[in-house]
Short mmCIF file of all heavy atoms in Angstrom, two decimals:
data_model
loop_
_atom_site.label_atom_id
_atom_site.label_comp_id
_atom_site.label_asym_id
_atom_site.label_seq_id
_atom_site.Cartn_x
_atom_site.Cartn_y
_atom_site.Cartn_z
N ASP A 1 95.70 114.84 82.69
CA ASP A 1 94.82 115.73 83.27
C ASP A 1 95.02 115.87 84.87
O ASP A 1 94.35 116.51 85.51
CB ASP A 1 93.40 115.40 82.98
CG ASP A 1 92.96 114.03 83.53
OD1 ASP A 1 93.68 113.48 84.37
OD2 ASP A 1 91.88 113.57 83.17
N GLY A 2 96.10 115.20 85.34
CA GLY A 2 96.43 115.46 86.68
C GLY A 2 95.77 114.56 87.68
O GLY A 2 96.16 114.61 88.87
N ARG A 3 94.82 113.88 87.32
CA ARG A 3 94.03 113.04 88.16
C ARG A 3 94.79 111.58 88.32
O ARG A 3 95.36 111.25 87.31
CB ARG A 3 92.61 112.80 87.74
CG ARG A 3 91.79 114.12 87.84
CD ARG A 3 90.41 113.83 87.36
NE ARG A 3 90.37 113.38 86.00
CZ ARG A 3 89.32 112.75 85.38
NH1 ARG A 3 88.28 112.46 86.09
NH2 ARG A 3 89.40 112.48 84.13
N THR A 4 94.66 110.96 89.50
CA THR A 4 95.26 109.61 89.56
C THR A 4 94.31 108.68 88.87
O THR A 4 93.10 108.94 88.56
CB THR A 4 95.34 109.20 91.09
OG1 THR A 4 94.03 109.13 91.64
CG2 THR A 4 96.16 110.24 91.84
N TRP A 5 94.83 107.39 88.62
CA TRP A 5 94.06 106.42 87.89
C TRP A 5 92.81 106.10 88.69
O TRP A 5 91.78 105.85 88.04
CB TRP A 5 94.87 105.14 87.72
CG TRP A 5 95.35 104.43 88.83
CD1 TRP A 5 96.59 104.50 89.47
CD2 TRP A 5 94.72 103.38 89.58
NE1 TRP A 5 96.67 103.68 90.52
CE2 TRP A 5 95.51 103.00 90.61
CE3 TRP A 5 93.39 102.87 89.53
CZ2 TRP A 5 95.09 101.97 91.56
CZ3 TRP A 5 93.04 101.88 90.39
CH2 TRP A 5 93.84 101.46 91.35
N GLU A 6 92.85 106.14 89.98
CA GLU A 6 91.68 105.84 90.87
C GLU A 6 90.54 106.78 90.49
O GLU A 6 89.30 106.51 90.43
CB GLU A 6 91.96 105.91 92.30
CG GLU A 6 92.88 104.93 92.85
CD GLU A 6 94.26 105.42 92.99
OE1 GLU A 6 94.69 106.37 92.21
OE2 GLU A 6 94.99 104.85 93.89
N ASN A 7 90.85 108.11 90.34
CA ASN A 7 89.89 109.15 90.03
C ASN A 7 89.44 109.18 88.63
O ASN A 7 88.40 109.79 88.29
CB ASN A 7 90.52 110.57 90.37
CG ASN A 7 90.73 110.71 91.90
OD1 ASN A 7 90.09 110.10 92.79
ND2 ASN A 7 91.67 111.54 92.23
N ARG A 8 90.16 108.48 87.73
CA ARG A 8 89.77 108.50 86.36
C ARG A 8 88.89 107.36 86.05
O ARG A 8 88.29 107.31 84.93
CB ARG A 8 91.03 108.46 85.53
CG ARG A 8 91.77 109.84 85.60
CD ARG A 8 93.23 109.75 85.14
NE ARG A 8 93.39 109.33 83.78
CZ ARG A 8 94.50 109.04 83.22
NH1 ARG A 8 95.69 109.21 83.95
NH2 ARG A 8 94.61 108.72 82.00
N LEU A 9 88.73 106.44 86.89
CA LEU A 9 87.83 105.26 86.65
C LEU A 9 86.34 105.68 86.86
O LEU A 9 86.07 106.49 87.70
CB LEU A 9 88.10 104.10 87.52
CG LEU A 9 89.33 103.35 87.20
CD1 LEU A 9 89.54 102.26 88.35
CD2 LEU A 9 89.36 102.66 85.91
N THR A 10 85.57 105.38 85.88
CA THR A 10 83.99 105.54 86.02
C THR A 10 83.33 104.24 86.09
O THR A 10 83.91 103.18 85.69
CB THR A 10 83.52 106.50 84.90
OG1 THR A 10 83.63 105.68 83.71
CG2 THR A 10 84.27 107.79 84.77
N ASN A 11 82.10 104.29 86.49
CA ASN A 11 81.28 103.03 86.47
C ASN A 11 81.35 102.41 84.96
O ASN A 11 81.41 101.20 84.78
CB ASN A 11 79.95 103.35 86.88
CG ASN A 11 79.82 103.59 88.37
OD1 ASN A 11 80.70 103.11 89.14
ND2 ASN A 11 78.78 104.24 88.70
N GLU A 12 81.21 103.23 83.98
CA GLU A 12 81.17 102.79 82.63
C GLU A 12 82.43 102.14 82.25
O GLU A 12 82.53 101.02 81.67
CB GLU A 12 80.98 103.95 81.65
CG GLU A 12 80.97 103.57 80.26
CD GLU A 12 80.69 104.75 79.25
OE1 GLU A 12 79.94 105.61 79.64
OE2 GLU A 12 81.21 104.66 78.12
N ASN A 13 83.62 102.72 82.49
CA ASN A 13 84.89 102.16 82.34
C ASN A 13 85.12 100.75 83.09
O ASN A 13 85.62 99.81 82.52
CB ASN A 13 86.05 102.98 82.75
CG ASN A 13 86.20 104.24 81.73
OD1 ASN A 13 85.76 104.14 80.68
ND2 ASN A 13 86.76 105.19 82.28
N ILE A 14 84.58 100.72 84.30
CA ILE A 14 84.67 99.47 85.13
C ILE A 14 83.88 98.34 84.47
O ILE A 14 84.30 97.27 84.32
CB ILE A 14 84.18 99.71 86.59
CG1 ILE A 14 85.22 100.62 87.24
CG2 ILE A 14 84.00 98.40 87.31
CD1 ILE A 14 84.74 101.15 88.61
N LEU A 15 82.60 98.70 83.98
CA LEU A 15 81.75 97.66 83.31
C LEU A 15 82.48 97.23 82.02
O LEU A 15 82.43 96.05 81.70
CB LEU A 15 80.45 98.27 82.99
CG LEU A 15 79.56 98.54 84.26
CD1 LEU A 15 78.24 99.24 83.89
CD2 LEU A 15 79.22 97.14 84.94
N LEU A 16 83.04 98.14 81.24
CA LEU A 16 83.69 97.72 80.05
C LEU A 16 84.85 96.89 80.34
O LEU A 16 85.12 95.91 79.64
CB LEU A 16 84.08 99.01 79.21
CG LEU A 16 83.07 99.81 78.62
CD1 LEU A 16 83.67 101.09 78.11
CD2 LEU A 16 82.35 99.04 77.44
N SER A 17 85.64 97.20 81.41
CA SER A 17 86.84 96.49 81.69
C SER A 17 86.49 95.06 82.20
O SER A 17 87.26 94.09 81.96
CB SER A 17 87.70 97.15 82.72
OG SER A 17 87.06 97.18 83.99
N SER A 18 85.39 94.83 82.84
CA SER A 18 85.02 93.52 83.28
C SER A 18 84.70 92.58 82.15
O SER A 18 84.73 91.35 82.30
CB SER A 18 83.81 93.57 84.24
OG SER A 18 82.67 93.99 83.52
N ASP A 19 84.45 93.12 80.92
CA ASP A 19 84.23 92.24 79.78
C ASP A 19 85.41 91.42 79.42
O ASP A 19 85.34 90.42 78.68
CB ASP A 19 83.78 93.13 78.58
CG ASP A 19 82.30 93.62 78.73
OD1 ASP A 19 81.59 93.13 79.60
OD2 ASP A 19 82.07 94.51 77.99
N ILE A 20 86.64 91.83 79.79
CA ILE A 20 87.79 91.08 79.45
C ILE A 20 87.76 89.68 79.99
O ILE A 20 88.41 88.81 79.45
CB ILE A 20 89.10 91.83 79.91
CG1 ILE A 20 90.36 91.30 79.20
CG2 ILE A 20 89.35 91.77 81.38
CD1 ILE A 20 90.85 92.20 78.16
N PHE A 21 87.08 89.48 81.15
CA PHE A 21 86.96 88.12 81.74
C PHE A 21 86.19 87.26 80.80
O PHE A 21 86.31 85.99 80.89
CB PHE A 21 86.34 88.17 83.10
CG PHE A 21 87.15 88.72 84.10
CD1 PHE A 21 86.84 89.99 84.81
CD2 PHE A 21 88.32 88.09 84.55
CE1 PHE A 21 87.63 90.46 85.82
CE2 PHE A 21 89.05 88.63 85.50
CZ PHE A 21 88.81 89.78 86.21
N ILE A 22 85.34 87.69 79.93
CA ILE A 22 84.46 86.94 79.07
C ILE A 22 85.37 86.08 78.10
O ILE A 22 84.97 85.08 77.60
CB ILE A 22 83.53 87.83 78.27
CG1 ILE A 22 82.58 88.42 79.26
CG2 ILE A 22 82.76 86.96 77.18
CD1 ILE A 22 81.60 89.48 78.70
N ASP A 23 86.58 86.55 77.76
CA ASP A 23 87.48 85.88 76.87
C ASP A 23 88.00 84.56 77.44
O ASP A 23 88.96 83.91 76.79
CB ASP A 23 88.61 86.75 76.53
CG ASP A 23 88.25 87.98 75.62
OD1 ASP A 23 87.13 87.90 75.04
OD2 ASP A 23 88.98 88.97 75.71
N GLY A 24 87.44 84.14 78.40
CA GLY A 24 87.87 82.77 79.05
C GLY A 24 89.02 82.90 80.11
O GLY A 24 89.37 81.88 80.60
N ARG A 25 89.48 84.12 80.27
CA ARG A 25 90.49 84.31 81.27
C ARG A 25 89.83 84.44 82.60
O ARG A 25 88.75 85.05 82.82
CB ARG A 25 91.31 85.55 81.01
CG ARG A 25 92.07 85.54 79.74
CD ARG A 25 92.81 86.74 79.51
NE ARG A 25 93.51 86.71 78.29
CZ ARG A 25 94.13 87.72 77.82
NH1 ARG A 25 94.30 88.86 78.51
NH2 ARG A 25 94.74 87.70 76.59
N ASP A 26 90.49 83.94 83.59
CA ASP A 26 90.06 84.11 85.02
C ASP A 26 90.94 85.17 85.80
O ASP A 26 90.82 85.20 86.97
CB ASP A 26 90.22 82.78 85.78
CG ASP A 26 89.10 81.85 85.29
OD1 ASP A 26 88.03 82.23 84.93
OD2 ASP A 26 89.36 80.63 85.31
N TYR A 27 91.68 85.94 85.02
CA TYR A 27 92.57 86.92 85.61
C TYR A 27 92.83 87.98 84.66
O TYR A 27 92.64 87.98 83.45
CB TYR A 27 93.90 86.30 85.99
CG TYR A 27 94.62 85.70 84.74
CD1 TYR A 27 95.56 86.64 84.10
CD2 TYR A 27 94.53 84.49 84.26
CE1 TYR A 27 96.19 86.15 82.97
CE2 TYR A 27 95.17 83.99 83.23
CZ TYR A 27 95.95 84.91 82.50
OH TYR A 27 96.67 84.44 81.37
N LEU A 28 93.36 89.21 85.25
CA LEU A 28 93.86 90.25 84.48
C LEU A 28 95.34 90.43 84.83
O LEU A 28 95.74 90.23 85.93
CB LEU A 28 93.14 91.59 84.84
CG LEU A 28 91.69 91.66 84.71
CD1 LEU A 28 91.14 92.87 85.29
CD2 LEU A 28 91.29 91.57 83.24
N ASP A 29 96.18 90.52 83.86
CA ASP A 29 97.59 90.78 84.01
C ASP A 29 97.91 92.17 83.39
O ASP A 29 97.04 93.02 83.02
CB ASP A 29 98.43 89.71 83.30
CG ASP A 29 98.22 89.58 81.86
OD1 ASP A 29 97.60 90.43 81.23
OD2 ASP A 29 98.67 88.60 81.30
N LEU A 30 99.17 92.56 83.49
CA LEU A 30 99.55 93.87 82.95
C LEU A 30 99.18 94.11 81.57
O LEU A 30 98.70 95.22 81.14
CB LEU A 30 101.13 94.10 83.20
CG LEU A 30 101.64 95.51 83.02
CD1 LEU A 30 100.91 96.52 84.02
CD2 LEU A 30 103.14 95.56 83.16
N ASN A 31 99.29 93.13 80.66
CA ASN A 31 98.84 93.31 79.28
C ASN A 31 97.40 93.48 79.19
O ASN A 31 96.89 94.33 78.41
CB ASN A 31 99.27 92.00 78.49
CG ASN A 31 100.84 92.03 78.29
OD1 ASN A 31 101.46 93.08 78.20
ND2 ASN A 31 101.36 90.83 78.17
N SER A 32 96.64 92.83 80.03
CA SER A 32 95.12 92.98 80.06
C SER A 32 94.83 94.34 80.42
O SER A 32 93.88 95.06 79.85
CB SER A 32 94.47 91.96 81.05
OG SER A 32 94.74 90.64 80.64
N LEU A 33 95.44 94.88 81.51
CA LEU A 33 95.14 96.17 81.99
C LEU A 33 95.45 97.23 80.98
O LEU A 33 94.87 98.31 80.78
CB LEU A 33 95.90 96.46 83.31
CG LEU A 33 95.44 95.60 84.48
CD1 LEU A 33 96.37 95.96 85.68
CD2 LEU A 33 93.90 95.95 84.81
N ARG A 34 96.60 97.02 80.27
CA ARG A 34 97.04 97.92 79.15
C ARG A 34 95.94 97.98 78.08
O ARG A 34 95.64 99.02 77.64
CB ARG A 34 98.35 97.45 78.60
CG ARG A 34 99.03 98.46 77.77
CD ARG A 34 100.43 97.95 77.30
NE ARG A 34 101.32 97.77 78.32
CZ ARG A 34 101.92 96.53 78.84
NH1 ARG A 34 101.61 95.47 78.13
NH2 ARG A 34 102.74 96.58 79.83
N GLN A 35 95.46 96.83 77.72
CA GLN A 35 94.40 96.72 76.71
C GLN A 35 93.09 97.40 77.15
O GLN A 35 92.56 98.29 76.45
CB GLN A 35 94.11 95.22 76.38
CG GLN A 35 93.01 95.04 75.32
CD GLN A 35 92.73 93.58 75.06
OE1 GLN A 35 93.35 92.73 75.76
NE2 GLN A 35 91.83 93.28 74.27
N ILE A 36 92.75 97.24 78.34
CA ILE A 36 91.52 97.95 78.94
C ILE A 36 91.80 99.39 78.95
O ILE A 36 90.87 100.13 78.61
CB ILE A 36 91.26 97.37 80.45
CG1 ILE A 36 90.81 96.00 80.42
CG2 ILE A 36 90.24 98.24 81.14
CD1 ILE A 36 90.88 95.27 81.79
N SER A 37 92.90 99.88 79.30
CA SER A 37 93.18 101.29 79.36
C SER A 37 93.02 101.90 77.92
O SER A 37 92.50 103.00 77.82
CB SER A 37 94.61 101.56 79.83
OG SER A 37 95.03 102.86 79.73
N GLN A 38 93.48 101.17 76.97
CA GLN A 38 93.30 101.76 75.57
C GLN A 38 91.93 101.65 75.11
O GLN A 38 91.37 102.65 74.55
CB GLN A 38 94.24 100.94 74.63
CG GLN A 38 95.69 101.11 74.86
CD GLN A 38 96.59 100.16 74.20
OE1 GLN A 38 96.08 99.19 73.53
NE2 GLN A 38 97.85 100.38 74.18
N GLN A 39 91.22 100.53 75.39
CA GLN A 39 89.88 100.33 74.92
C GLN A 39 88.85 101.36 75.57
O GLN A 39 87.92 101.79 74.94
CB GLN A 39 89.34 98.91 75.21
CG GLN A 39 89.92 97.95 74.39
CD GLN A 39 89.46 96.57 74.91
OE1 GLN A 39 88.97 96.28 75.80
NE2 GLN A 39 89.78 95.56 73.97
N THR A 40 89.08 101.71 76.85
CA THR A 40 88.28 102.64 77.47
C THR A 40 88.63 104.08 77.30
O THR A 40 87.88 104.96 77.78
CB THR A 40 88.20 102.34 79.03
OG1 THR A 40 89.47 102.49 79.59
CG2 THR A 40 87.59 100.93 79.29
N GLY A 41 89.72 104.32 76.67
CA GLY A 41 90.20 105.69 76.45
C GLY A 41 90.93 106.30 77.70
O GLY A 41 91.13 107.56 77.69
N LEU A 42 91.16 105.49 78.68
CA LEU A 42 91.86 106.11 79.88
C LEU A 42 93.33 106.35 79.49
O LEU A 42 93.86 107.29 80.08
CB LEU A 42 91.82 105.02 80.97
CG LEU A 42 90.47 104.83 81.75
CD1 LEU A 42 90.58 103.66 82.66
CD2 LEU A 42 90.13 106.13 82.49
N ASN A 43 93.91 105.57 78.65
CA ASN A 43 95.35 105.78 78.20
C ASN A 43 96.27 106.01 79.45
O ASN A 43 96.98 106.99 79.42
CB ASN A 43 95.46 106.90 77.30
CG ASN A 43 94.62 106.54 76.00
OD1 ASN A 43 94.67 105.41 75.50
ND2 ASN A 43 93.81 107.53 75.59
N LEU A 44 96.26 105.14 80.37
CA LEU A 44 97.06 105.10 81.59
C LEU A 44 98.53 104.91 81.17
O LEU A 44 98.82 104.22 80.30
CB LEU A 44 96.59 104.16 82.55
CG LEU A 44 95.16 104.25 83.15
CD1 LEU A 44 94.73 103.12 83.97
CD2 LEU A 44 94.99 105.60 83.89
N SER A 45 99.46 105.63 82.00
CA SER A 45 100.83 105.36 81.77
C SER A 45 101.25 103.97 82.22
O SER A 45 100.49 103.39 82.91
CB SER A 45 101.66 106.46 82.55
OG SER A 45 101.54 106.17 83.89
N GLU A 46 102.46 103.56 81.84
CA GLU A 46 102.87 102.26 82.31
C GLU A 46 102.97 102.21 83.85
O GLU A 46 102.69 101.18 84.45
CB GLU A 46 104.32 102.01 81.73
CG GLU A 46 104.73 100.49 81.80
CD GLU A 46 103.93 99.53 81.00
OE1 GLU A 46 103.17 99.99 80.10
OE2 GLU A 46 103.92 98.31 81.38
N LEU A 47 103.46 103.31 84.38
CA LEU A 47 103.58 103.36 85.89
C LEU A 47 102.19 103.20 86.61
O LEU A 47 102.00 102.52 87.52
CB LEU A 47 104.25 104.70 86.33
CG LEU A 47 104.37 104.86 87.84
CD1 LEU A 47 105.17 103.76 88.48
CD2 LEU A 47 104.97 106.25 88.13
N GLU A 48 101.26 103.97 86.02
CA GLU A 48 99.89 103.89 86.57
C GLU A 48 99.29 102.48 86.42
O GLU A 48 98.65 101.96 87.32
CB GLU A 48 98.92 104.90 85.80
CG GLU A 48 99.19 106.30 86.15
CD GLU A 48 98.37 107.22 85.35
OE1 GLU A 48 98.27 107.03 84.08
OE2 GLU A 48 97.76 108.21 85.87
N LEU A 49 99.59 101.79 85.36
CA LEU A 49 99.03 100.39 85.11
C LEU A 49 99.80 99.43 86.26
O LEU A 49 99.16 98.64 86.78
CB LEU A 49 99.46 99.89 83.83
CG LEU A 49 98.57 100.59 82.63
CD1 LEU A 49 99.21 100.18 81.23
CD2 LEU A 49 97.06 100.24 82.79
N GLN A 50 101.09 99.70 86.40
CA GLN A 50 101.83 98.83 87.33
C GLN A 50 101.34 99.10 88.73
O GLN A 50 101.04 98.15 89.54
CB GLN A 50 103.37 99.09 87.31
CG GLN A 50 103.95 98.63 86.04
CD GLN A 50 105.35 99.05 85.84
OE1 GLN A 50 105.96 99.74 86.69
NE2 GLN A 50 105.98 98.65 84.73
N LEU A 51 101.07 100.34 89.11
CA LEU A 51 100.53 100.70 90.47
C LEU A 51 99.08 100.06 90.58
O LEU A 51 98.69 99.56 91.63
CB LEU A 51 100.47 102.24 90.67
CG LEU A 51 101.82 102.85 90.77
CD1 LEU A 51 101.67 104.37 90.78
CD2 LEU A 51 102.53 102.46 92.00
N MET A 52 98.28 100.15 89.53
CA MET A 52 96.98 99.56 89.69
C MET A 52 97.01 98.05 89.95
O MET A 52 96.27 97.52 90.68
CB MET A 52 96.23 99.79 88.28
CG MET A 52 94.82 99.27 88.26
SD MET A 52 94.02 99.51 86.61
CE MET A 52 93.73 101.28 86.79
N LEU A 53 97.90 97.32 89.20
CA LEU A 53 98.10 95.91 89.37
C LEU A 53 98.56 95.60 90.77
O LEU A 53 98.04 94.80 91.40
CB LEU A 53 99.10 95.36 88.32
CG LEU A 53 99.31 93.89 88.41
CD1 LEU A 53 98.10 93.12 88.07
CD2 LEU A 53 100.51 93.48 87.36
N GLN A 54 99.54 96.37 91.23
CA GLN A 54 99.98 96.19 92.67
C GLN A 54 98.95 96.32 93.67
O GLN A 54 98.95 95.65 94.67
CB GLN A 54 101.26 97.10 92.93
CG GLN A 54 102.50 96.71 92.20
CD GLN A 54 103.58 97.76 92.31
OE1 GLN A 54 103.37 98.78 92.95
NE2 GLN A 54 104.69 97.48 91.65
N ALA A 55 98.10 97.41 93.48
CA ALA A 55 97.10 97.69 94.43
C ALA A 55 95.96 96.61 94.47
O ALA A 55 95.41 96.31 95.52
CB ALA A 55 96.41 99.01 94.12
N ALA A 56 95.69 95.85 93.35
CA ALA A 56 94.67 94.92 93.28
C ALA A 56 95.09 93.56 93.61
O ALA A 56 94.39 92.68 94.06
CB ALA A 56 94.04 94.99 91.90
N ASP A 57 96.40 93.26 93.31
CA ASP A 57 96.98 91.82 93.36
C ASP A 57 97.30 91.58 94.88
O ASP A 57 98.34 91.83 95.46
CB ASP A 57 98.22 91.83 92.59
CG ASP A 57 98.90 90.39 92.59
OD1 ASP A 57 98.21 89.38 92.90
OD2 ASP A 57 100.07 90.24 92.23
N ARG A 58 96.31 90.90 95.53
CA ARG A 58 96.51 90.47 96.95
C ARG A 58 97.47 89.44 97.17
O ARG A 58 98.11 89.32 98.21
CB ARG A 58 95.16 90.12 97.58
CG ARG A 58 94.06 91.32 97.50
CD ARG A 58 94.40 92.24 98.63
NE ARG A 58 93.33 93.32 98.59
CZ ARG A 58 93.12 94.00 99.70
NH1 ARG A 58 93.75 93.75 100.88
NH2 ARG A 58 92.19 94.90 99.65
N ASN A 59 97.49 88.41 96.21
CA ASN A 59 98.33 87.23 96.48
C ASN A 59 99.68 87.27 95.91
O ASN A 59 100.48 86.33 95.97
CB ASN A 59 97.56 85.95 96.15
CG ASN A 59 97.33 85.84 94.58
OD1 ASN A 59 97.79 86.70 93.83
ND2 ASN A 59 96.53 84.86 94.23
N GLY A 60 100.05 88.33 95.24
CA GLY A 60 101.42 88.58 94.71
C GLY A 60 101.75 87.73 93.45
O GLY A 60 102.93 87.59 93.26
N ASP A 61 100.75 87.25 92.76
CA ASP A 61 101.13 86.54 91.52
C ASP A 61 101.19 87.28 90.24
O ASP A 61 101.23 86.71 89.14
CB ASP A 61 100.11 85.32 91.39
CG ASP A 61 98.67 85.73 91.17
OD1 ASP A 61 98.39 87.05 91.07
OD2 ASP A 61 97.86 84.83 90.89
N ALA A 62 101.13 88.65 90.40
CA ALA A 62 101.27 89.50 89.23
C ALA A 62 100.09 89.37 88.30
O ALA A 62 100.04 89.69 87.12
CB ALA A 62 102.55 89.31 88.36
N ARG A 63 98.95 88.92 88.89
CA ARG A 63 97.65 88.79 88.16
C ARG A 63 96.51 89.30 89.14
O ARG A 63 96.72 89.20 90.37
CB ARG A 63 97.40 87.36 87.77
CG ARG A 63 98.25 86.83 86.73
CD ARG A 63 97.99 85.42 86.50
NE ARG A 63 98.77 84.81 85.40
CZ ARG A 63 98.60 83.57 85.03
NH1 ARG A 63 97.73 82.78 85.51
NH2 ARG A 63 99.44 83.20 84.01
N VAL A 64 95.44 89.75 88.59
CA VAL A 64 94.29 90.12 89.38
C VAL A 64 93.27 89.06 88.92
O VAL A 64 92.67 89.10 87.83
CB VAL A 64 93.84 91.52 89.08
CG1 VAL A 64 92.55 91.91 89.86
CG2 VAL A 64 94.96 92.61 89.43
N ASP A 65 92.80 88.21 89.92
CA ASP A 65 91.77 87.29 89.63
C ASP A 65 90.36 87.95 89.90
O ASP A 65 90.37 89.12 90.29
CB ASP A 65 91.86 85.93 90.35
CG ASP A 65 91.82 86.19 91.92
OD1 ASP A 65 91.07 87.04 92.40
OD2 ASP A 65 92.53 85.35 92.64
N ARG A 66 89.34 87.22 89.50
CA ARG A 66 88.02 87.86 89.67
C ARG A 66 87.66 88.29 91.10
O ARG A 66 87.11 89.35 91.22
CB ARG A 66 86.93 86.74 89.27
CG ARG A 66 86.92 86.53 87.81
CD ARG A 66 85.89 85.38 87.50
NE ARG A 66 85.97 85.05 86.08
CZ ARG A 66 85.15 85.60 85.16
NH1 ARG A 66 84.29 86.50 85.49
NH2 ARG A 66 85.22 85.20 83.91
N HIS A 67 88.12 87.52 92.08
CA HIS A 67 87.94 87.91 93.39
C HIS A 67 88.67 89.21 93.87
O HIS A 67 88.09 90.12 94.47
CB HIS A 67 88.29 86.85 94.43
CG HIS A 67 87.43 85.52 94.17
ND1 HIS A 67 86.14 85.51 94.52
CD2 HIS A 67 87.82 84.37 93.68
CE1 HIS A 67 85.66 84.29 94.23
NE2 HIS A 67 86.65 83.61 93.72
N GLU A 68 89.89 89.21 93.41
CA GLU A 68 90.65 90.54 93.66
C GLU A 68 90.06 91.71 92.88
O GLU A 68 90.01 92.87 93.37
CB GLU A 68 92.16 90.31 93.12
CG GLU A 68 92.92 89.32 94.09
CD GLU A 68 94.26 88.91 93.45
OE1 GLU A 68 94.35 88.77 92.26
OE2 GLU A 68 95.17 88.61 94.24
N PHE A 69 89.60 91.41 91.69
CA PHE A 69 89.06 92.52 90.93
C PHE A 69 87.74 93.14 91.62
O PHE A 69 87.65 94.26 91.69
CB PHE A 69 88.66 92.00 89.55
CG PHE A 69 88.04 93.01 88.57
CD1 PHE A 69 88.77 93.87 87.92
CD2 PHE A 69 86.69 93.05 88.38
CE1 PHE A 69 88.29 94.83 87.03
CE2 PHE A 69 86.12 93.98 87.48
CZ PHE A 69 86.87 94.91 86.83
N ILE A 70 86.95 92.25 91.98
CA ILE A 70 85.68 92.60 92.75
C ILE A 70 86.02 93.41 94.05
O ILE A 70 85.42 94.36 94.35
CB ILE A 70 84.76 91.40 92.99
CG1 ILE A 70 84.21 90.89 91.67
CG2 ILE A 70 83.62 91.74 93.99
CD1 ILE A 70 83.57 89.60 91.74
N ARG A 71 87.02 92.90 94.68
CA ARG A 71 87.45 93.48 96.01
C ARG A 71 87.89 94.93 95.84
O ARG A 71 87.54 95.73 96.56
CB ARG A 71 88.53 92.70 96.70
CG ARG A 71 89.05 93.21 98.05
CD ARG A 71 89.98 92.27 98.64
NE ARG A 71 89.52 90.97 98.82
CZ ARG A 71 90.18 89.87 98.63
NH1 ARG A 71 91.36 89.96 98.27
NH2 ARG A 71 89.60 88.65 98.89
N ILE A 72 88.61 95.25 94.77
CA ILE A 72 89.12 96.55 94.58
C ILE A 72 88.03 97.52 93.99
O ILE A 72 88.12 98.75 94.17
CB ILE A 72 90.37 96.60 93.72
CG1 ILE A 72 91.16 97.90 93.88
CG2 ILE A 72 90.06 96.28 92.29
CD1 ILE A 72 92.52 97.85 93.46
N MET A 73 87.10 96.91 93.35
CA MET A 73 86.01 97.73 92.79
C MET A 73 85.03 98.18 93.89
O MET A 73 84.44 99.14 94.03
CB MET A 73 85.23 97.08 91.66
CG MET A 73 86.09 96.83 90.39
SD MET A 73 86.77 98.35 89.85
CE MET A 73 88.47 97.93 89.59
#
Protein backbone atom coordinates (compact mmCIF):
# COMPACT_ATOMS: atom_id res chain seq x y z
CA ASP A 1 0.00 0.00 0.00
CA GLY A 2 3.03 2.28 -0.27
CA ARG A 3 3.25 3.19 3.42
CA THR A 4 6.40 2.54 5.42
CA TRP A 5 6.37 0.02 8.27
CA GLU A 6 6.32 2.90 10.76
CA ASN A 7 3.08 4.22 9.26
CA ARG A 8 1.48 0.79 9.15
CA LEU A 9 1.78 0.16 12.88
CA THR A 10 -1.31 0.87 14.94
CA ASN A 11 -1.87 0.80 18.67
CA GLU A 12 -3.71 -2.51 18.27
CA ASN A 13 -0.79 -4.06 16.38
CA ILE A 14 1.67 -2.80 18.99
CA LEU A 15 -0.38 -4.31 21.82
CA LEU A 16 -0.68 -7.62 19.99
CA SER A 17 3.03 -7.67 19.24
CA SER A 18 3.95 -7.08 22.89
CA ASP A 19 2.28 -10.42 23.73
CA ILE A 20 5.29 -12.22 22.24
CA PHE A 21 7.24 -11.37 25.40
CA ILE A 22 4.78 -13.48 27.40
CA ASP A 23 6.33 -16.64 25.92
CA GLY A 24 9.21 -16.25 28.36
CA ARG A 25 11.44 -14.40 25.97
CA ASP A 26 13.09 -11.18 27.00
CA TYR A 27 13.78 -10.14 23.43
CA LEU A 28 12.49 -10.03 19.88
CA ASP A 29 14.65 -11.19 17.01
CA LEU A 30 14.08 -11.25 13.25
CA ASN A 31 12.05 -14.46 13.50
CA SER A 32 9.90 -12.95 16.25
CA LEU A 33 9.27 -9.84 14.17
CA ARG A 34 8.37 -12.03 11.19
CA GLN A 35 5.84 -13.92 13.35
CA ILE A 36 4.35 -10.68 14.69
CA SER A 37 4.06 -9.32 11.15
CA GLN A 38 2.09 -12.38 10.08
CA GLN A 39 -0.10 -12.54 13.22
CA THR A 40 -1.10 -8.89 12.99
CA GLY A 41 -1.71 -8.96 9.24
CA LEU A 42 1.02 -6.40 8.53
CA ASN A 43 2.84 -8.86 6.25
CA LEU A 44 5.99 -6.78 6.16
CA SER A 45 8.69 -7.60 3.65
CA GLU A 46 11.99 -9.08 4.75
CA LEU A 47 13.67 -5.73 4.12
CA GLU A 48 11.08 -3.90 6.23
CA LEU A 49 11.59 -6.41 9.06
CA GLN A 50 15.36 -5.96 8.90
CA LEU A 51 15.01 -2.17 8.93
CA MET A 52 12.65 -2.38 11.89
CA LEU A 53 15.13 -4.53 13.81
CA GLN A 54 18.01 -2.20 12.99
CA ALA A 55 16.01 0.86 14.07
CA ALA A 56 15.13 -0.66 17.45
CA ASP A 57 18.34 -2.55 18.27
CA ARG A 58 20.37 0.01 20.22
CA ASN A 59 23.12 -2.31 21.47
CA GLY A 60 23.77 -4.13 18.18
CA ASP A 61 23.03 -7.68 19.37
CA ALA A 62 20.48 -8.36 16.58
CA ARG A 63 17.73 -8.52 19.20
CA VAL A 64 15.27 -6.04 20.63
CA ASP A 65 14.97 -6.35 24.38
CA ARG A 66 12.06 -4.99 26.41
CA HIS A 67 13.79 -1.66 27.05
CA GLU A 68 14.61 -1.18 23.36
CA PHE A 69 11.05 -2.17 22.45
CA ILE A 70 9.53 0.38 24.82
CA ARG A 71 11.95 3.06 23.64
CA ILE A 72 10.96 2.70 20.00
CA MET A 73 7.24 2.62 20.73
